[in-house]
Coordinates of all heavy atoms in Angstrom, one line a residue:
M23 N 2.2 -42.5 -31.9 CA 3.1 -42.0 -30.8 C 2.5 -42.6 -29.5 O 1.4 -42.4 -29.1 CB 3.1 -40.5 -30.8 CG 3.9 -39.9 -29.6 SD 4.0 -38.1 -29.8 CE 3.5 -37.7 -28.2
A24 N 3.3 -43.3 -28.8 CA 2.9 -43.9 -27.5 C 3.2 -42.9 -26.4 O 4.1 -42.1 -26.5 CB 3.7 -45.2 -27.3
G25 N 2.5 -43.1 -25.3 CA 2.7 -42.2 -24.1 C 1.5 -41.6 -23.6 O 0.4 -42.2 -23.8
I26 N 1.6 -40.5 -22.9 CA 0.5 -39.9 -22.2 C -0.2 -38.9 -23.1 O 0.5 -38.1 -23.8 CB 0.9 -39.2 -20.9 CG1 1.4 -40.3 -19.9 CG2 -0.2 -38.4 -20.3 CD1 2.0 -39.8 -18.7
A27 N -1.5 -38.8 -23.1 CA -2.2 -37.8 -23.9 C -3.3 -37.2 -23.0 O -3.8 -37.9 -22.2 CB -2.8 -38.5 -25.1
F28 N -3.5 -36.0 -23.2 CA -4.5 -35.2 -22.5 C -5.6 -34.8 -23.4 O -5.3 -34.1 -24.4 CB -3.9 -34.0 -21.7 CG -2.9 -34.4 -20.7 CD1 -1.6 -34.5 -21.1 CD2 -3.3 -34.7 -19.4 CE1 -0.6 -34.9 -20.1 CE2 -2.3 -35.0 -18.5 CZ -1.0 -35.1 -18.8
V29 N -6.8 -35.1 -23.2 CA -7.9 -34.7 -24.0 C -8.6 -33.5 -23.4 O -9.1 -33.6 -22.2 CB -9.0 -35.8 -24.2 CG1 -10.2 -35.3 -25.0 CG2 -8.4 -37.1 -24.8
H30 N -8.5 -32.4 -24.0 CA -9.1 -31.1 -23.6 C -10.4 -31.0 -24.2 O -10.5 -31.0 -25.4 CB -8.2 -29.9 -23.9 CG -6.8 -30.0 -23.4 ND1 -6.5 -29.5 -22.1 CD2 -5.7 -30.5 -23.9 CE1 -5.2 -29.7 -21.9 NE2 -4.7 -30.3 -22.9
T31 N -11.5 -30.9 -23.4 CA -12.8 -30.9 -24.0 C -13.6 -29.7 -23.4 O -13.5 -29.4 -22.2 CB -13.6 -32.2 -23.5 OG1 -12.9 -33.3 -23.9 CG2 -15.0 -32.2 -24.2
V32 N -14.2 -29.0 -24.4 CA -15.0 -27.8 -24.0 C -16.4 -28.1 -24.5 O -16.6 -28.4 -25.7 CB -14.4 -26.5 -24.7 CG1 -15.3 -25.3 -24.3 CG2 -13.0 -26.3 -24.3
I33 N -17.4 -28.0 -23.6 CA -18.8 -28.3 -23.9 C -19.7 -27.1 -23.6 O -19.6 -26.6 -22.6 CB -19.3 -29.6 -23.1 CG1 -18.4 -30.8 -23.3 CG2 -20.7 -29.9 -23.4 CD1 -18.6 -31.9 -22.4
D34 N -20.5 -26.8 -24.6 CA -21.5 -25.8 -24.4 C -22.7 -26.3 -23.5 O -23.2 -27.4 -23.9 CB -22.1 -25.3 -25.8 CG -23.2 -24.4 -25.6 OD1 -23.1 -23.4 -24.8 OD2 -24.3 -24.5 -26.3
D35 N -22.9 -25.7 -22.4 CA -23.9 -26.2 -21.5 C -25.3 -26.2 -22.0 O -26.1 -27.1 -21.7 CB -23.8 -25.4 -20.2 CG -24.6 -26.1 -19.1 OD1 -24.4 -27.3 -18.9 OD2 -25.3 -25.4 -18.4
H36 N -25.6 -25.3 -22.9 CA -27.0 -25.3 -23.5 C -27.2 -26.3 -24.5 O -28.1 -27.1 -24.4 CB -27.3 -23.9 -24.1 CG -28.6 -23.8 -24.8 ND1 -29.8 -23.8 -24.1 CD2 -28.9 -23.8 -26.1 CE1 -30.8 -23.8 -25.0 NE2 -30.3 -23.7 -26.2
S37 N -26.4 -26.3 -25.6 CA -26.6 -27.3 -26.7 C -25.9 -28.6 -26.5 O -26.3 -29.6 -27.1 CB -26.0 -26.6 -28.0 OG -24.6 -26.5 -27.9
R38 N -25.0 -28.7 -25.6 CA -24.1 -29.9 -25.4 C -23.2 -30.2 -26.5 O -22.6 -31.2 -26.5 CB -25.0 -31.1 -25.0 CG -26.1 -30.9 -24.0 CD -25.6 -30.3 -22.7 NE -24.7 -31.2 -22.0 CZ -23.8 -30.8 -21.0 NH1 -23.8 -29.6 -20.7 NH2 -23.1 -31.7 -20.4
I39 N -23.0 -29.3 -27.5 CA -22.1 -29.5 -28.5 C -20.6 -29.4 -27.9 O -20.4 -28.5 -27.0 CB -22.3 -28.5 -29.7 CG1 -21.5 -28.9 -30.9 CG2 -21.9 -27.0 -29.3 CD1 -21.8 -28.2 -32.2
A40 N -19.7 -30.2 -28.4 CA -18.4 -30.3 -27.8 C -17.3 -30.0 -28.8 O -17.4 -30.3 -30.0 CB -18.2 -31.7 -27.2
Y41 N -16.2 -29.5 -28.3 CA -15.0 -29.2 -29.0 C -13.9 -29.9 -28.2 O -13.9 -29.9 -27.0 CB -14.7 -27.7 -29.1 CG -13.4 -27.4 -29.7 CD1 -13.2 -27.2 -31.0 CD2 -12.2 -27.2 -28.9 CE1 -12.0 -26.9 -31.6 CE2 -11.0 -26.9 -29.4 CZ -10.9 -26.8 -30.8 OH -9.7 -26.5 -31.3
A42 N -13.0 -30.6 -28.9 CA -11.9 -31.3 -28.1 C -10.6 -31.3 -29.0 O -10.7 -31.3 -30.2 CB -12.3 -32.7 -27.8
E43 N -9.5 -31.3 -28.2 CA -8.2 -31.5 -28.8 C -7.4 -32.4 -27.9 O -7.6 -32.5 -26.7 CB -7.5 -30.2 -28.9 CG -8.0 -29.1 -29.8 CD -7.2 -27.8 -29.8 OE1 -6.0 -27.8 -29.3 OE2 -7.7 -26.8 -30.3
I44 N -6.5 -33.2 -28.5 CA -5.6 -34.1 -27.8 C -4.2 -33.5 -27.8 O -3.7 -33.1 -28.9 CB -5.6 -35.5 -28.4 CG1 -7.0 -36.0 -28.3 CG2 -4.6 -36.4 -27.6 CD1 -7.2 -37.4 -29.1
H45 N -3.5 -33.4 -26.6 CA -2.2 -32.9 -26.5 C -1.3 -33.7 -25.6 O -1.9 -34.5 -24.8 CB -2.2 -31.4 -26.0 CG -2.9 -30.5 -27.0 ND1 -2.2 -29.9 -28.0 CD2 -4.1 -30.0 -27.1 CE1 -3.0 -29.1 -28.7 NE2 -4.2 -29.2 -28.2
T46 N -0.1 -33.5 -25.7 CA 0.9 -34.2 -24.8 C 1.1 -33.5 -23.5 O 1.9 -34.0 -22.6 CB 2.2 -34.5 -25.5 OG1 2.8 -33.2 -25.9 CG2 2.0 -35.4 -26.7
D47 N 0.5 -32.4 -23.3 CA 0.6 -31.7 -22.0 C -0.7 -31.2 -21.5 O -1.7 -31.3 -22.2 CB 1.6 -30.5 -22.1 CG 1.2 -29.4 -23.1 OD1 -0.1 -29.2 -23.2 OD2 2.0 -28.8 -23.7
E48 N -0.7 -30.7 -20.3 CA -2.0 -30.3 -19.7 C -2.4 -28.8 -19.9 O -3.4 -28.3 -19.5 CB -1.9 -30.5 -18.2 CG -1.8 -32.0 -17.8 CD -1.7 -32.2 -16.4 OE1 -2.7 -32.2 -15.7 OE2 -0.5 -32.3 -15.9
T49 N -1.6 -28.1 -20.6 CA -1.8 -26.7 -20.9 C -3.0 -26.5 -21.7 O -3.2 -27.0 -22.8 CB -0.6 -26.0 -21.6 OG1 0.6 -26.3 -20.8 CG2 -0.8 -24.5 -21.7
A50 N -4.0 -25.7 -21.2 CA -5.3 -25.6 -21.8 C -5.6 -24.2 -22.4 O -6.6 -24.0 -23.1 CB -6.4 -26.0 -20.9
A51 N -4.8 -23.2 -22.1 CA -5.2 -21.8 -22.4 C -5.3 -21.6 -23.9 O -6.3 -21.1 -24.4 CB -4.1 -20.8 -21.9
A52 N -4.4 -22.2 -24.7 CA -4.5 -22.0 -26.2 C -5.7 -22.8 -26.7 O -6.4 -22.4 -27.7 CB -3.2 -22.5 -26.8
V53 N -6.0 -24.0 -26.1 CA -7.1 -24.8 -26.5 C -8.4 -24.0 -26.3 O -9.3 -24.0 -27.1 CB -7.2 -26.1 -25.7 CG1 -8.5 -26.9 -26.0 CG2 -6.0 -27.0 -26.0
L54 N -8.5 -23.3 -25.2 CA -9.7 -22.5 -24.9 C -9.9 -21.4 -25.9 O -11.0 -21.2 -26.4 CB -9.6 -22.0 -23.5 CG -10.8 -21.2 -23.0 CD1 -12.1 -22.0 -23.1 CD2 -10.6 -20.6 -21.6
R55 N -8.8 -20.7 -26.3 CA -8.9 -19.7 -27.3 C -9.4 -20.2 -28.6 O -10.3 -19.7 -29.2 CB -7.6 -19.0 -27.5 CG -7.2 -18.0 -26.4 CD -6.0 -17.2 -26.8 NE -4.8 -17.9 -26.9 CZ -4.0 -18.2 -25.9 NH1 -4.3 -17.8 -24.6 NH2 -2.9 -18.9 -26.0
R56 N -8.9 -21.4 -29.0 CA -9.4 -22.0 -30.3 C -10.8 -22.5 -30.1 O -11.6 -22.4 -31.1 CB -8.4 -23.2 -30.7 CG -7.1 -22.7 -31.2 CD -6.3 -23.8 -31.8 NE -5.8 -24.8 -30.8 CZ -4.7 -24.7 -30.0 NH1 -3.9 -23.6 -30.2 NH2 -4.4 -25.6 -29.2
A57 N -11.2 -23.0 -29.0 CA -12.5 -23.5 -28.8 C -13.5 -22.3 -28.8 O -14.6 -22.4 -29.4 CB -12.7 -24.2 -27.4
V58 N -13.2 -21.2 -28.2 CA -14.1 -20.0 -28.3 C -14.3 -19.6 -29.7 O -15.4 -19.3 -30.1 CB -13.5 -18.8 -27.4 CG1 -14.2 -17.5 -27.7 CG2 -13.5 -19.2 -25.9
A59 N -13.2 -19.6 -30.5 CA -13.3 -19.2 -32.0 C -14.2 -20.3 -32.7 O -15.0 -19.9 -33.5 CB -12.0 -19.1 -32.6
W60 N -14.0 -21.5 -32.4 CA -14.8 -22.6 -33.0 C -16.2 -22.5 -32.7 O -17.1 -22.6 -33.6 CB -14.2 -24.0 -32.6 CG -14.8 -25.2 -33.2 CD1 -14.4 -25.8 -34.4 CD2 -15.9 -26.0 -32.7 NE1 -15.2 -26.8 -34.6 CE2 -16.1 -27.0 -33.7 CE3 -16.8 -25.9 -31.6 CZ2 -17.1 -28.0 -33.5 CZ3 -17.8 -26.8 -31.5 CH2 -17.9 -27.9 -32.4
F61 N -16.6 -22.2 -31.4 CA -18.0 -22.0 -31.1 C -18.5 -20.8 -31.7 O -19.7 -20.8 -32.2 CB -18.1 -21.9 -29.5 CG -18.1 -23.2 -28.8 CD1 -17.0 -23.6 -28.1 CD2 -19.1 -24.1 -28.9 CE1 -17.0 -24.8 -27.4 CE2 -19.1 -25.3 -28.3 CZ -18.0 -25.7 -27.5
A62 N -17.8 -19.7 -31.8 CA -18.2 -18.5 -32.5 C -18.6 -18.7 -33.9 O -19.6 -18.2 -34.4 CB -17.2 -17.4 -32.3
D63 N -17.8 -19.5 -34.6 CA -18.1 -19.9 -36.0 C -19.4 -20.6 -36.1 O -20.0 -20.6 -37.2 CB -17.0 -20.8 -36.6 CG -15.7 -20.0 -36.8 OD1 -15.7 -18.8 -36.8 OD2 -14.6 -20.7 -37.1
R64 N -19.9 -21.2 -35.1 CA -21.2 -21.9 -35.1 C -22.3 -21.1 -34.4 O -23.4 -21.6 -34.1 CB -21.0 -23.3 -34.4 CG -20.2 -24.2 -35.3 CD -19.4 -25.2 -34.6 NE -18.6 -26.0 -35.6 CZ -17.5 -25.6 -36.1 NH1 -16.9 -24.4 -35.8 NH2 -16.8 -26.3 -37.0
G65 N -22.0 -19.8 -34.1 CA -23.1 -19.0 -33.5 C -23.2 -19.1 -32.1 O -24.2 -18.6 -31.5
V66 N -22.3 -19.7 -31.4 CA -22.4 -19.9 -29.9 C -21.4 -18.8 -29.3 O -20.2 -18.8 -29.6 CB -21.9 -21.3 -29.5 CG1 -21.9 -21.4 -28.0 CG2 -22.8 -22.3 -30.1
T67 N -22.0 -18.0 -28.4 CA -21.2 -17.0 -27.7 C -20.8 -17.5 -26.3 O -21.7 -17.9 -25.6 CB -22.0 -15.7 -27.6 OG1 -22.3 -15.2 -28.9 CG2 -21.2 -14.6 -26.8
V68 N -19.5 -17.6 -26.0 CA -19.1 -18.0 -24.7 C -19.3 -16.9 -23.7 O -18.7 -15.8 -23.9 CB -17.6 -18.5 -24.8 CG1 -17.1 -18.8 -23.4 CG2 -17.5 -19.6 -25.7
E69 N -20.1 -17.1 -22.7 CA -20.3 -16.0 -21.7 C -19.4 -16.2 -20.5 O -19.0 -15.2 -19.9 CB -21.8 -16.1 -21.2 CG -22.8 -15.8 -22.3 CD -24.2 -15.9 -21.8 OE1 -24.4 -16.3 -20.6 OE2 -25.1 -15.6 -22.6
R70 N -19.1 -17.4 -20.2 CA -18.2 -17.6 -19.0 C -17.6 -19.0 -19.1 O -18.2 -19.9 -19.7 CB -18.9 -17.4 -17.7 CG -20.0 -18.4 -17.4 CD -20.7 -18.0 -16.1 NE -21.9 -18.8 -16.0 CZ -23.1 -18.6 -16.5 NH1 -23.3 -17.5 -17.1 NH2 -24.1 -19.4 -16.3
V71 N -16.5 -19.2 -18.4 CA -15.8 -20.5 -18.3 C -15.9 -20.9 -16.9 O -15.6 -20.1 -16.0 CB -14.4 -20.4 -18.8 CG1 -13.7 -21.7 -18.6 CG2 -14.3 -19.9 -20.2
L72 N -16.5 -22.1 -16.6 CA -16.6 -22.6 -15.3 C -15.2 -23.2 -14.8 O -14.4 -23.6 -15.6 CB -17.7 -23.7 -15.2 CG -19.0 -23.2 -15.7 CD1 -20.0 -24.4 -15.7 CD2 -19.6 -22.1 -14.9
Y73 N -15.0 -23.2 -13.6 CA -13.8 -23.8 -12.9 C -12.5 -23.1 -13.4 O -11.8 -23.6 -14.2 CB -13.8 -25.3 -13.3 CG -15.1 -26.0 -13.1 CD1 -15.4 -27.0 -14.0 CD2 -16.0 -25.7 -12.2 CE1 -16.6 -27.7 -13.9 CE2 -17.2 -26.3 -12.0 CZ -17.5 -27.3 -12.9 OH -18.7 -28.0 -12.8
P74 N -12.3 -21.9 -12.8 CA -11.1 -21.1 -13.3 C -9.7 -21.6 -12.9 O -8.8 -21.0 -13.4 CB -11.4 -19.7 -12.6 CG -12.2 -20.1 -11.4 CD -13.0 -21.2 -11.8
S75 N -9.6 -22.6 -12.1 CA -8.3 -23.1 -11.7 C -8.3 -24.6 -11.6 O -9.4 -25.2 -11.4 CB -7.8 -22.5 -10.4 OG -8.6 -23.0 -9.3
E76 N -7.1 -25.2 -11.6 CA -7.0 -26.7 -11.4 C -7.6 -27.1 -10.0 O -8.3 -28.1 -9.9 CB -5.6 -27.1 -11.5 CG -5.3 -28.5 -11.3 CD -6.0 -29.4 -12.3 OE1 -6.3 -29.0 -13.4 OE2 -6.2 -30.6 -12.0
T77 N -7.3 -26.3 -9.0 CA -7.9 -26.6 -7.7 C -9.4 -26.6 -7.7 O -10.0 -27.5 -7.2 CB -7.3 -25.7 -6.6 OG1 -5.9 -25.7 -6.7 CG2 -7.8 -26.0 -5.2
S78 N -10.0 -25.6 -8.3 CA -11.4 -25.5 -8.3 C -12.0 -26.6 -9.2 O -13.1 -27.1 -8.9 CB -11.9 -24.1 -8.6 OG -11.5 -23.8 -9.9
R79 N -11.4 -26.9 -10.3 CA -11.9 -28.0 -11.1 C -11.9 -29.3 -10.4 O -12.9 -30.1 -10.4 CB -11.0 -28.1 -12.4 CG -11.4 -27.2 -13.5 CD -10.7 -27.5 -14.8 NE -9.2 -27.5 -14.7 CZ -8.5 -26.4 -14.8 NH1 -9.1 -25.2 -15.1 NH2 -7.2 -26.4 -14.7
R80 N -10.8 -29.6 -9.7 CA -10.8 -30.9 -8.9 C -11.8 -30.9 -7.8 O -12.4 -32.0 -7.6 CB -9.4 -31.1 -8.4 CG -8.3 -31.5 -9.4 CD -7.0 -31.7 -8.7 NE -6.0 -31.9 -9.7 CZ -5.7 -33.2 -10.2 NH1 -6.3 -34.2 -9.7 NH2 -4.7 -33.3 -11.1
A81 N -12.0 -29.8 -7.2 CA -13.0 -29.7 -6.1 C -14.4 -29.9 -6.6 O -15.3 -30.4 -6.0 CB -12.8 -28.4 -5.3
A82 N -14.7 -29.3 -7.8 CA -16.0 -29.3 -8.4 C -16.4 -30.6 -9.1 O -17.6 -30.9 -9.3 CB -16.2 -28.1 -9.4
L83 N -15.5 -31.4 -9.6 CA -15.8 -32.5 -10.4 C -16.7 -33.5 -9.7 O -17.7 -34.0 -10.3 CB -14.5 -33.2 -10.9 CG -14.7 -34.4 -11.8 CD1 -15.5 -34.0 -13.0 CD2 -13.3 -35.0 -12.1
P84 N -16.4 -34.0 -8.5 CA -17.3 -34.9 -7.9 C -18.8 -34.5 -7.8 O -19.7 -35.2 -8.1 CB -16.8 -35.2 -6.4 CG -15.3 -34.8 -6.6 CD -15.3 -33.7 -7.6
G85 N -19.0 -33.2 -7.4 CA -20.4 -32.7 -7.4 C -21.0 -32.6 -8.7 O -22.2 -32.9 -8.9
W86 N -20.2 -32.2 -9.7 CA -20.8 -32.1 -11.1 C -21.1 -33.5 -11.6 O -22.2 -33.7 -12.2 CB -19.8 -31.5 -12.0 CG -20.3 -31.4 -13.4 CD1 -21.1 -30.4 -14.0 CD2 -20.1 -32.4 -14.5 NE1 -21.4 -30.7 -15.3 CE2 -20.8 -31.9 -15.6 CE3 -19.4 -33.6 -14.6 CZ2 -20.8 -32.6 -16.8 CZ3 -19.5 -34.3 -15.7 CH2 -20.1 -33.8 -16.9
L87 N -20.3 -34.5 -11.4 CA -20.6 -35.9 -11.8 C -21.8 -36.4 -11.1 O -22.7 -37.0 -11.8 CB -19.4 -36.8 -11.5 CG -18.2 -36.7 -12.5 CD1 -17.1 -37.6 -12.0 CD2 -18.6 -37.2 -13.9
H88 N -22.0 -36.1 -9.8 CA -23.1 -36.6 -9.1 C -24.4 -36.0 -9.7 O -25.4 -36.7 -10.0 CB -23.0 -36.3 -7.6 CG -24.3 -36.7 -6.9 ND1 -24.5 -38.0 -6.5 CD2 -25.4 -35.9 -6.5 CE1 -25.7 -38.0 -5.9 NE2 -26.2 -36.8 -5.9
F89 N -24.4 -34.6 -9.9 CA -25.5 -34.0 -10.5 C -25.9 -34.5 -11.8 O -27.0 -34.8 -12.1 CB -25.3 -32.5 -10.5 CG -26.3 -31.7 -11.3 CD1 -27.6 -31.5 -10.6 CD2 -26.2 -31.3 -12.6 CE1 -28.6 -30.8 -11.3 CE2 -27.2 -30.6 -13.2 CZ -28.4 -30.4 -12.6
S90 N -24.8 -34.6 -12.7 CA -25.1 -35.1 -14.1 C -25.6 -36.5 -14.1 O -26.5 -36.8 -14.9 CB -23.8 -35.0 -14.9 OG -24.0 -35.4 -16.2
N91 N -25.1 -37.4 -13.3 CA -25.5 -38.8 -13.3 C -26.8 -39.1 -12.5 O -27.6 -40.0 -12.9 CB -24.4 -39.7 -12.7 CG -23.2 -39.8 -13.6 OD1 -23.3 -39.7 -14.8 ND2 -22.1 -40.0 -13.0
H92 N -27.1 -38.3 -11.5 CA -28.2 -38.6 -10.6 C -29.4 -37.6 -10.7 O -30.5 -38.0 -10.3 CB -27.8 -38.6 -9.1 CG -26.9 -39.8 -8.9 ND1 -27.3 -41.0 -8.4 CD2 -25.5 -39.9 -9.0 CE1 -26.2 -41.8 -8.3 NE2 -25.2 -41.1 -8.6
H93 N -29.2 -36.4 -11.2 CA -30.2 -35.4 -11.2 C -30.5 -34.7 -12.5 O -31.7 -34.3 -12.7 CB -29.9 -34.3 -10.1 CG -29.6 -34.9 -8.8 ND1 -30.7 -35.3 -7.9 CD2 -28.5 -35.1 -8.1 CE1 -30.2 -35.8 -6.8 NE2 -28.8 -35.7 -6.9
R94 N -29.6 -34.6 -13.4 CA -29.8 -33.9 -14.6 C -30.5 -34.8 -15.6 O -30.1 -35.8 -16.0 CB -28.5 -33.4 -15.2 CG -28.7 -32.5 -16.5 CD -27.4 -32.0 -17.0 NE -27.7 -31.2 -18.1 CZ -27.0 -30.1 -18.5 NH1 -25.9 -29.9 -17.8 NH2 -27.3 -29.4 -19.5
P95 N -31.7 -34.3 -16.1 CA -32.4 -35.1 -17.1 C -31.7 -35.1 -18.4 O -31.1 -34.1 -18.8 CB -33.8 -34.4 -17.3 CG -33.7 -33.1 -16.5 CD -32.4 -33.1 -15.7
H96 N -31.7 -36.2 -19.1 CA -31.0 -36.4 -20.4 C -32.0 -36.9 -21.4 O -32.8 -37.8 -21.1 CB -29.8 -37.4 -20.3 CG -28.7 -36.9 -19.4 ND1 -27.6 -36.3 -20.0 CD2 -28.5 -36.9 -18.1 CE1 -26.8 -36.0 -19.0 NE2 -27.3 -36.3 -17.9
S97 N -32.0 -36.3 -22.6 CA -33.0 -36.7 -23.6 C -32.8 -38.2 -24.0 O -33.8 -38.9 -24.3 CB -32.9 -35.8 -24.8 OG -31.6 -35.9 -25.4
S98 N -31.6 -38.7 -24.0 CA -31.4 -40.1 -24.4 C -31.9 -41.1 -23.4 O -32.0 -42.3 -23.7 CB -29.9 -40.4 -24.6 OG -29.2 -40.2 -23.4
T99 N -32.3 -40.6 -22.2 CA -32.9 -41.5 -21.2 C -34.3 -41.1 -20.8 O -34.8 -41.3 -19.7 CB -32.0 -41.5 -19.9 OG1 -31.9 -40.2 -19.4 CG2 -30.6 -42.1 -20.1
G100 N -35.0 -40.5 -21.8 CA -36.4 -40.2 -21.7 C -36.6 -39.1 -20.7 O -37.6 -39.0 -20.0
G101 N -35.7 -38.1 -20.6 CA -35.8 -37.0 -19.6 C -35.5 -37.4 -18.2 O -35.7 -36.6 -17.3
K102 N -34.9 -38.5 -18.0 CA -34.5 -39.0 -16.6 C -33.0 -38.9 -16.5 O -32.3 -39.0 -17.5 CB -35.0 -40.4 -16.3 CG -36.5 -40.4 -16.3 CD -37.0 -41.9 -16.1 CE -38.5 -41.9 -16.1 NZ -39.0 -43.3 -16.0
P103 N -32.5 -38.9 -15.3 CA -31.0 -38.9 -15.1 C -30.5 -40.3 -15.5 O -31.2 -41.3 -15.4 CB -30.8 -38.6 -13.6 CG -32.1 -38.7 -13.0 CD -33.2 -38.7 -14.0
P104 N -29.2 -40.4 -15.9 CA -28.6 -41.6 -16.4 C -28.7 -42.8 -15.3 O -28.8 -43.9 -15.7 CB -27.1 -41.3 -16.7 CG -27.2 -39.8 -17.0 CD -28.3 -39.2 -16.1
V105 N -28.6 -42.4 -14.1 CA -28.6 -43.5 -13.0 C -29.9 -44.3 -13.1 O -29.9 -45.5 -12.7 CB -28.3 -42.9 -11.6 CG1 -29.6 -42.2 -11.1 CG2 -27.9 -44.0 -10.7
T106 N -30.9 -43.8 -13.6 CA -32.2 -44.5 -13.7 C -32.1 -45.7 -14.6 O -32.9 -46.6 -14.6 CB -33.4 -43.6 -14.1 OG1 -33.1 -43.1 -15.4 CG2 -33.6 -42.5 -13.0
R107 N -31.1 -45.7 -15.5 CA -30.9 -46.8 -16.5 C -30.2 -48.0 -15.8 O -30.3 -49.1 -16.4 CB -30.1 -46.3 -17.7 CG -30.7 -45.2 -18.4 CD -31.8 -45.6 -19.3 NE -31.3 -46.5 -20.3 CZ -31.9 -46.9 -21.4 NH1 -33.0 -46.4 -21.7 NH2 -31.3 -47.7 -22.2
L108 N -29.7 -47.8 -14.7 CA -29.0 -48.9 -14.0 C -30.0 -49.7 -13.1 O -30.7 -49.1 -12.3 CB -27.9 -48.4 -13.1 CG -26.8 -47.6 -13.8 CD1 -25.7 -47.2 -12.8 CD2 -26.1 -48.5 -14.9
T109 N -30.1 -51.0 -13.3 CA -31.2 -51.7 -12.6 C -30.6 -52.5 -11.5 O -31.4 -53.2 -10.8 CB -31.9 -52.7 -13.6 OG1 -30.9 -53.5 -14.2 CG2 -32.6 -51.9 -14.7
N110 N -29.3 -52.5 -11.3 CA -28.7 -53.4 -10.2 C -28.1 -52.6 -9.1 O -27.3 -53.1 -8.4 CB -27.6 -54.3 -10.9 CG -26.5 -53.4 -11.5 OD1 -26.7 -52.3 -11.7 ND2 -25.4 -54.1 -11.7
L111 N -28.6 -51.4 -8.8 CA -28.1 -50.6 -7.7 C -28.7 -51.0 -6.4 O -29.9 -51.4 -6.4 CB -28.4 -49.1 -8.0 CG -27.6 -48.4 -9.1 CD1 -28.1 -47.0 -9.2 CD2 -26.1 -48.5 -8.9
P112 N -27.9 -51.0 -5.3 CA -28.5 -51.3 -4.0 C -29.7 -50.4 -3.7 O -29.6 -49.2 -4.0 CB -27.4 -51.1 -3.0 CG -26.1 -51.2 -3.9 CD -26.5 -50.7 -5.3
G113 N -30.8 -50.9 -3.1 CA -31.9 -50.2 -2.8 C -32.9 -50.0 -3.9 O -34.0 -49.4 -3.6
H114 N -32.6 -50.4 -5.1 CA -33.6 -50.3 -6.2 C -34.6 -51.4 -6.2 O -35.6 -51.3 -6.9 CB -32.8 -50.3 -7.5 CG -32.3 -48.9 -7.9 ND1 -32.2 -48.5 -9.1 CD2 -32.0 -47.9 -7.1 CE1 -31.7 -47.2 -9.2 NE2 -31.6 -46.9 -7.9
H115 N -34.4 -52.4 -5.4 CA -35.3 -53.6 -5.4 C -35.8 -53.8 -4.0 O -35.1 -53.7 -3.0 CB -34.6 -54.8 -5.9 CG -34.0 -54.6 -7.3 ND1 -34.8 -54.6 -8.4 CD2 -32.8 -54.4 -7.6 CE1 -34.0 -54.4 -9.5 NE2 -32.8 -54.3 -9.0
S116 N -37.1 -54.1 -3.8 CA -37.6 -54.4 -2.5 C -37.6 -55.9 -2.2 O -37.5 -56.7 -3.0 CB -39.0 -53.8 -2.3 OG -39.8 -54.2 -3.3

C-alpha cells in the first residue's frame, strides 16, 4: 500500500526496549494501550507517559534530541554521547 504511514514508537527509558506499530493515521491512544500491555507481558510497569499532548511533544523534541545526541551516554559509543563519534564537526580540530 502506497501513501503516508505513521510509526508509533514507545520506548522504555530504563531498558531502551521498544514497541512500535505502523498506521495510516496519527491516532496513538489505542497504540499506547497495546504498548502498555506488551510491556506488562515482559515485566515492565509503565509509571508515566512523557509528553501528554501534541503541542508539548513538538516543544520537547528539540531539547530531547539535543540531550540524547550531545549529553546522554550510550553503551554503543563507549559510554559517551553519540556526537563524540562525529569527527568532522566545527570546533573539533585546532
Side-chain angles (χ1 to χ4, degrees):
M23 178 174 130
I26 295 175
F28 297 90
V29 179
H30 301 272
T31 307
V32 181
I33 302 172
D34 174 44
D35 193 45
H36 174 72
S37 66
R38 309 310 292 163
I39 192 167
Y41 174 88
E43 294 183 14
I44 300 173
H45 293 278
T46 57
D47 63 31
E48 296 177 81
T49 306
V53 173
L54 183 57
R55 282 192 293 275
R56 288 189 293 274
V58 168
W60 185 87
F61 280 109
D63 287 345
R64 285 149 184 85
V66 177
T67 302
V68 175
E69 294 179 359
R70 65 185 171 272
V71 176
L72 305 178
Y73 315 145
S75 71
E76 177 62 21
T77 301
S78 60
R79 278 190 298 274
R80 286 181 184 271
L83 183 59
W86 180 86
L87 283 172
H88 176 81
F89 173 75
S90 184
N91 288 333
H92 294 268
H93 304 285
R94 185 177 184 149
H96 293 262
S97 60
S98 63
T99 57
K102 296 179 182 176
V105 72
T106 61
R107 301 284 296 199
L108 302 180
T109 59
N110 60 343
L111 293 177
H114 276 210
H115 305 284
S116 52

